[in-house]
Amino acid sequence: MDKIQLVGLKEQYRSIKADIDSAVLGVLGKGNFILGENVKSLEQEMAKYCGVKFGIGVASGTDALDLSLMALGIKEGDEVITTPFTFIATSEAISQAGARPVFVDIDLESFNIDVTLIRSKITKNTKAIIPVHIYGQPCNMDEIQKIAKEFNLTIIEDCAQAIGAEFKGKRVGSFGKAGCFSFFPSKNLGAFGDGGMIVTDDEELTKKLKMLRVHGSKDKYYHIMEGRNSRLDEMQAAIVRVKLNHIDKWNQLRIKWASAFNNNLADLQKADFVILPKEVSGVKHVYHIYGLRAKDRDGLKAYLEENGVQTGVHYPIPLHLQEVYRDLGYKKSDFPNAESLAKDIISLPLYPELTQEQVDYISKCIKDFYHK
Ligand SMILES: *Cc1c(COP(=O)(O)O)cnc(C)c1O
């Protein structure tokens, strides 16, 4: 069997090659490469998909977060609450706005921010909260909205891993002031390069974000503020538009393969070798990542690699223990759940184009490792 990659980018391209090729060629022929018709259409389509009014295409998921905080006026002296179990882009956006990231531990059911611990971290400087729908499983948005209302906090959702995921039947991106998406190639809805999108119901915020992404200009060369160069290009927008038509089917296949892994590995869980990912009630989890908790994680990882299965670790060091954040004053055992997950979590290959044969082969390798 060929090596099984963590993400099946080539397989996905093959499955929709004709449509992607014609979308790209269409852009090449028009000669309009930045913020054109495809970006405009994708903004509307993404907004509609998420159940909100507006979309703003930007250069990456990181910029979607950065520009949102900037536009919402997060600044020096402010505190923003988030999870330590995420990619650094989430906390970077907070620091780079001049504010302080305040971490709250996760719960071990959902791997998302533990909503029962948030209140104790709120101070008079707390301005916002960034829930991250990690691995594609939505946070408890009922509780987060309740807390935000009580303390007058702005919610900015980090939806980079969760397009199409739902909390109580409502899609992520529609719960906060702004929902931030990434089109990084390996995400569930990936471009062929970098790209990102903010969705929102707020028209004023939309206008501001559309200025910020082009150096704060209202009309070309008329600047009323400073901004960035953070535009989504036409080629990426054209590609993402083709893929958006397939996202529900693809997410459904991710759910199918996750459930196949759960079935295949149930006995290993009974024998205490692994802990299968859980879905909390009331959510639709879209399995951007299938995160298995595994005894001797590093041994298993090496064994799978030897047997032609690429895996990942998302993430080996929680943010509060990253070297870059020494000055924030966090220490080991501040967030025991995030720390224990970082030690034993492993991401198995999971993408729509997997086959039953591959899922069974990966599962067999894992069983062989524990029974050898
Ligand atoms: C990927 C990711 C981002 C950043 O998106 P980019 O498009 O790579 O800049 C932010 N937050 C989370 C949780 C992510 O997984």
Side-chain angles (χ1 to χ4, degrees):
M1 193 181 285
D2 285 344
K3 186 169 163 106
I4 304 172
Q5 308 283 333
L6 185 57
V7 185
L9 296 184
K10 280 182 287 191
E11 288 85 343
Q12 184 157 86
Y13 173 52
R14 247 181 262 136
S15 78
I16 50 170
K17 185 173 182 310
D19 288 347
I20 293 279
D21 291 359
S22 93
V24 168
L25 289 174
V27 173
L28 295 186
K30 283 219 179 82
N32 182 13
F33 299 114
I34 300 286
L35 294 180
E37 284 313 306
N38 279 290
V39 172
K40 223 175 246 165
S41 298
L42 179 64
E43 286 172 343
Q44 287 160 7
E45 289 155 6
M46 277 287 290
K48 183 159 178 250
Y49 184 81
C50 294
V52 299
K53 291 199 193 116
F54 308 103
I56 304 97
V58 293
S60 67
T62 303
D63 277 3
L65 289 161
D66 275 11
L67 295 178
S68 294
L69 293 188
M70 206 189 280
L72 291 164
I74 303 296
K75 57 180 189 319
E76 207 178 325
D78 294 344
E79 293 175 7
V80 179
I81 288 177
T82 194
T83 165
F85 193 72
T86 178
F87 180 56
I88 193 167
T90 316
S91 55
E92 246 175 358
I94 301 170
S95 307
Q96 292 186 3
R100 179 186 170 86
V102 173
F103 298 116
V104 170
D105 205 2
I106 55 171
D107 73 66
L108 288 178
E109 290 278 307
S110 68
F111 305 164
N112 282 322
I113 191 163
D114 184 338
V115 292
T116 66
L117 302 175
I118 295 175
R119 279 188 174 77
S120 67
K121 296 289 167 66
I122 294 174
T123 72
K124 62 178 190 335
N125 297 322
T126 310
K127 292 288 156 53
I129 173 162
I130 308 184
V132 181
H133 309 300
I134 206 74
Y135 292 2
Q137 170 145 259
C139 296
N140 183 340
M141 294 312 299
D142 273 351
E143 277 306 310
I144 291 171
Q145 282 182 323
K146 205 159 108 194
I147 295 167
K149 204 166 167 204
E150 196 180 323
F151 294 93
N152 196 21
L153 309 179
T154 305
I155 300 172
I156 299 117
E157 293 177 71
D158 184 338
C159 305
Q161 304 189 358
I163 176 126
E166 296 171 11
F167 179 79
K168 296 198 172 164
K170 211 168 155 249
R171 289 201 172 127
V172 299
S174 62
F175 292 91
K177 192 73 174 165
C180 301
F181 290 88
S182 164
F183 302 135
F184 186 75
S186 67
K187 301 288 160 87
N188 286 19
L189 180 64
F192 285 13
D194 278 307
M197 176 85 59
I198 303 149
V199 299
T200 180
D201 266 329
D202 187 320
E203 190 167 12
E204 283 310 303
L205 180 63
T206 302
K207 279 187 195 151
K208 198 160 180 191
L209 285 165
K210 284 189 173 172
M211 286 191 269
L212 285 173
R213 74 178 172 185
V214 287
H215 305 282
S217 55
K218 201 166 183 179
D219 297 304
K220 206 165 194 183
Y221 308 129
Y222 289 81
H223 305 273
I224 61 170
M225 61 181 106
E226 279 190 355
R228 291 270 181 85
N229 169 2
S230 181
R231 300 169 297 221
L232 179 60
D233 71 75
E234 273 293 282
M235 194 95 76
Q236 302 308 337
I239 290 166
V240 173
R241 286 186 73 201
V242 171
K243 290 191 172 194
L244 185 58
N245 292 319
H246 298 273
I247 192 66
D248 287 335
K249 179 185 67 196
W250 286 340
N251 279 341
Q252 221 47 52
L253 285 165
R254 287 176 177 276
I255 292 166
K256 172 182 168 177
W257 299 131
S259 136
F261 275 125
N262 285 346
N263 284 332
N264 287 348
L265 301 174
D267 287 343
L268 285 182
Q269 173 162 264
K270 277 192 203 118
D272 274 340
F273 288 119
V274 302
I275 302 174
L276 305 173
K278 293 182 195 63
E279 281 178 30
V280 299
S281 71
V283 306
K284 177 176 173 182
H285 186 329
V286 294
Y287 291 96
H288 172 57
I289 286 171
Y290 182 92
L292 183 72
R293 302 188 64 187
K295 273 211 171 120
D296 186 14
R297 187 263 317 273
D298 295 337
L300 175 64
K301 190 170 197 317
Y303 182 81
L304 288 173
E305 190 69 41
E306 277 163 34
N307 285 280
V309 178
Q310 187 189 33
T311 59
V313 173
H314 304 92
Y315 301 87
I317 304 179
L319 293 182
H320 67 288
L321 299 179
Q322 292 283 354
E323 200 177 328
V324 65
Y325 290 137
R326 309 184 281 281
D327 294 346
L328 290 180
Y330 290 106
K331 57 185 188 318
K332 259 208 171 97
S333 69
D334 277 347
F335 305 118
N337 289 348
E339 289 169 35
S340 76
L341 214 50
K343 285 197 193 90
D344 66 10
I345 199 79
I346 183 169
S347 309
L348 302 185
L350 194 84
Y351 50 87
E353 299 76 15
L354 273 177
T355 63
Q356 185 72 47
E357 192 194 3
Q358 287 175 315
V359 171
D360 291 344
Y361 172 75
I362 297 164
S363 307
K364 182 185 171 302
C365 290
I366 298 173
K367 286 183 205 170
D368 289 348
F369 173 74
Y370 288 111
H371 292 134
K372 78 184 172 221

